[in-house]
Amino acid sequence: MQKIKNIIFDYGNVIFEINFKNAQFALEQLGISNVAGFFDHKSHNNIFDDFETGTLTPNQFRDGIRKEAGDNLISDEQIDAAWNSLLIGVPPGIHELLLRVKEKYRTFLLSNNNEIHYLWIMDYLKREFKMESIDHLFEKAYFSQQMYLRKPNVEIFEQVIRENNLVPAETLFIDDSPQHIEGAKKAGLNALLMTAHPQHLENFLQENHII
């Protein structure tokens, strides 16, 4: 890792713990059958991709969930609660770790996200950490719904590279999804698959000689 000068972090299950099974169970409770095929870590219905790229508004997303469940009486609040159930939180010490890494590298965040999750996360960070944003943790944070692109599309990586004048060979991308790792490699980035729980991010970085 001696040549690495820049690090692009994923958010979910790298920094912020998420649990897909929570959302699967909650969506099933709303009446969605074959929930594993509808929403999973590695594959899911197009409604989620469209929401993450800003193609769908929150209300359109909610209507899509109602249609899939076959129940127009499900409330917005029920859908938001089910969808947000996968969001767990940031383990202790991770924000401090990111600030330490930022002292050594140019650091960025690149997250597939959506408006409902984003608002919940910002509220959570304010409640739990008295943080108004995560801007101070990185040189710049990128969210898919604001870029109208999502990982693993090579274009999203190329945009981050271009806007920040990054040299791909000097840039490392860390993500927990194999398909996103492949997208990063197509953009010429070095990439590491995060296989540890977010609470072990520091050990993961040490084991890979990043810190």
Side-chain angles (χ1 to χ4, degrees):
M1 293 297 169
Q2 292 179 346
K3 65 180 179 180
I4 298 300
K5 297 180 180 179
N6 323 296
I7 301 177
I8 304 171
F9 288 96
D10 174 37
Y11 198 51
N13 276 345
V14 172
I15 294 166
F16 188 107
E17 181 186 356
I18 57 178
N19 188 317
F20 286 89
K21 290 191 180 300
N22 284 1
Q24 287 179 332
F25 177 78
L27 290 169
E28 194 170 41
Q29 296 306 299
L30 293 182
I32 293 175
S33 58
N34 186 30
V35 72
F38 181 64
F39 177 70
D40 191 63
H41 186 197
K42 294 183 179 180
S43 63
H44 46 246
N45 188 282
N46 287 338
I47 188 176
F48 300 103
D49 289 355
D50 291 343
F51 195 29
E52 287 183 343
T53 55
T55 304
L56 294 182
T57 66
N59 283 337
Q60 288 171 327
F61 171 78
R62 295 180 186 113
D63 286 342
I65 295 297
R66 291 186 187 97
K67 181 179 179 180
E68 186 69 24
D71 186 351
N72 289 327
L73 297 180
I74 302 172
S75 70
D76 289 356
E77 292 76 17
Q78 286 175 297
I79 292 169
D80 289 2
W83 182 223
N84 287 332
S85 67
L86 67 80
L87 303 173
I88 307 300
V90 179
I94 297 299
H95 292 147
E96 292 77 8
L97 171 63
L98 291 171
L99 289 173
R100 283 166 46 204
V101 177
K102 188 182 177 185
E103 292 176 358
K104 185 176 179 181
Y105 303 91
R106 294 180 67 192
T107 60
F108 303 86
L109 182 75
L110 181 58
S111 172
N112 282 355
N113 214 306
N114 60 81
E115 189 172 339
I116 293 174
H117 281 172
Y118 179 84
L119 292 175
W120 190 98
I121 290 167
M122 291 301 116
D123 181 67
Y124 160 83
L125 293 173
K126 187 174 183 178
R127 285 186 285 107
E128 297 296 325
F129 298 99
K130 312 302 181 190
M131 290 169 49
E132 295 295 331
S133 74
I134 57 173
D135 292 345
H136 66 293
L137 300 176
F138 310 94
E139 185 171 322
K140 188 168 183 179
Y142 288 89
F143 296 95
S144 63
Q145 80 277 15
Q146 297 167 355
M147 300 173 74
Y148 308 108
L149 291 168
R150 71 183 300 278
K151 299 174 290 184
N153 273 340
V154 69
E155 290 83 3
I156 198 169
F157 298 104
E158 291 174 340
Q159 182 173 332
V160 175
I161 291 167
R162 183 175 61 254
E163 288 186 1
N164 299 285
N165 296 311
L166 303 179
V167 177
E170 296 176 348
T171 305
L172 175 66
F173 174 65
I174 301 174
D175 197 293
D176 69 312
S177 299
Q179 65 271 29
H180 298 168
I181 293 294
E182 292 307 310
K185 289 179 178 178
K186 290 177 182 177
L189 298 172
N190 298 279
L192 278 177
L193 180 66
M194 176 77 168
T195 54
H197 186 282
Q199 68 183 346
H200 301 305
L201 177 59
E202 183 169 10
N203 290 340
F204 179 82
L205 297 178
Q206 288 173 341
E207 289 168 1
N208 287 282
H209 311 291
I210 297 165
I211 58 172

